Amino acid sequence: MTSKRILMITGDFTEDYETMVPFQALMAVGHQVDAVCPDKQAGDTVATAIHDFEGDQTYTEKPGHRFALNATFADINPADYDALVVPGGRAPEYLRLNKAVLSMVQHFFDAQKPVAAICHGAQLLAAAGVLKGRECSAYPACQPEVELGGGRFRSIDVTEAVTDGNLVTAPAWPAHPAWLAQFMALLNR
């Protein structure tokens, strides 16, 4: 396996597992993962939230951890990266308002580089205008954003993931095994 340089765009109240697990798992197999957040620098932290599925009409939310960023957003050139990871949680809701973030996301699609997005990460993809004609899974409440963004929402089990070209998506963190396996397969092409 060739080591890849991967960009992770995250922010405050990102989903804890959807940030920490791919960050650590991708590094464990030899990739470099740079986690960034607009207006923050390497060494700063973002708050995470733990979303759980406990039988209510939607997920529950509990305080998570402080996740340390290891790169500075302002220094990022997306052309220096081989792939992109977009965690879910509440961060994509406001990250999609940042033009620099949208431009970074668009770069990975324009260059056909691997992209992994999970849960509410689809909100960021829709805002970046990169879902047109693509099959995309996400947390079910994001179906309207996927469809309004021109994508075809794929309703799959919470433990499954779907790959469409360079894009791997999944509904939520229970899909990590499938989501990460499909993303790593794209990284190894």
Side-chain angles (χ1 to χ4, degrees), residues 5-9 34 36 76-86 100-116 125 128 130 134 166-167 183 187:
R5 192 165 182 209
I6 301 169
L7 180 64
M8 175 184 280
I9 302 175
D34 288 349
V36 299
I76 297 301
N77 176 358
D80 295 337
Y81 291 88
D82 300 304
L84 173 67
V85 174
V86 180
V101 169
L102 297 178
S103 178
M104 286 182 185
V105 171
Q106 291 163 349
H107 163 81
F108 288 91
F109 284 86
D110 292 344
Q112 289 295 302
K113 296 177 182 179
V115 175
L125 303 181
V130 297
R134 291 185 174 268
N166 67 316
L167 176 63
F183 183 55
L187 293 175

Side-chain angles (χ1 to χ4, degrees), residues 25-89:
L26 291 165
M27 287 193 310
V29 297
H31 299 298
Q32 176 185 334
V33 183
D34 288 349
V36 299
C37 175
D39 303 319
K40 295 197 181 203
Q41 298 184 24
D44 290 347
T45 63
V46 294
T48 71
I50 296 170
H51 293 167
D52 209 349
F53 309 100
E54 301 174 304
D56 300 301
Q57 290 179 321
T58 190
Y59 57 86
T60 58
E61 185 173 79
K62 298 164 183 68
H65 301 92
R66 298 301 303 185
F67 176 76
L69 303 167
N70 63 349
T72 299
F73 183 85
D75 296 342
I76 297 301
N77 176 358
D80 295 337
Y81 291 88
D82 300 304
L84 173 67
V85 174
V86 180

Side-chain angles (χ1 to χ4, degrees), residues 3-23:
S3 178
K4 302 291 184 181
R5 192 165 182 209
I6 301 169
L7 180 64
M8 175 184 280
I9 302 175
T10 191
D12 285 316
F13 300 102
T14 183
E15 207 291 323
D16 190 270
Y17 301 146
E18 294 169 3
T19 305
M20 291 193 182
V21 172
F23 181 80

Side-chain angles (χ1 to χ4, degrees), residues 122 125-136 142-153 164:
L125 303 181
V130 297
L131 291 180
K132 290 180 183 69
R134 291 185 174 268
E135 194 169 74
C136 177
C142 295
Q143 181 175 350
E145 281 103 328
V146 169
E147 292 173 346
L148 288 168
R152 294 183 310 275
F153 182 77
D164 183 345

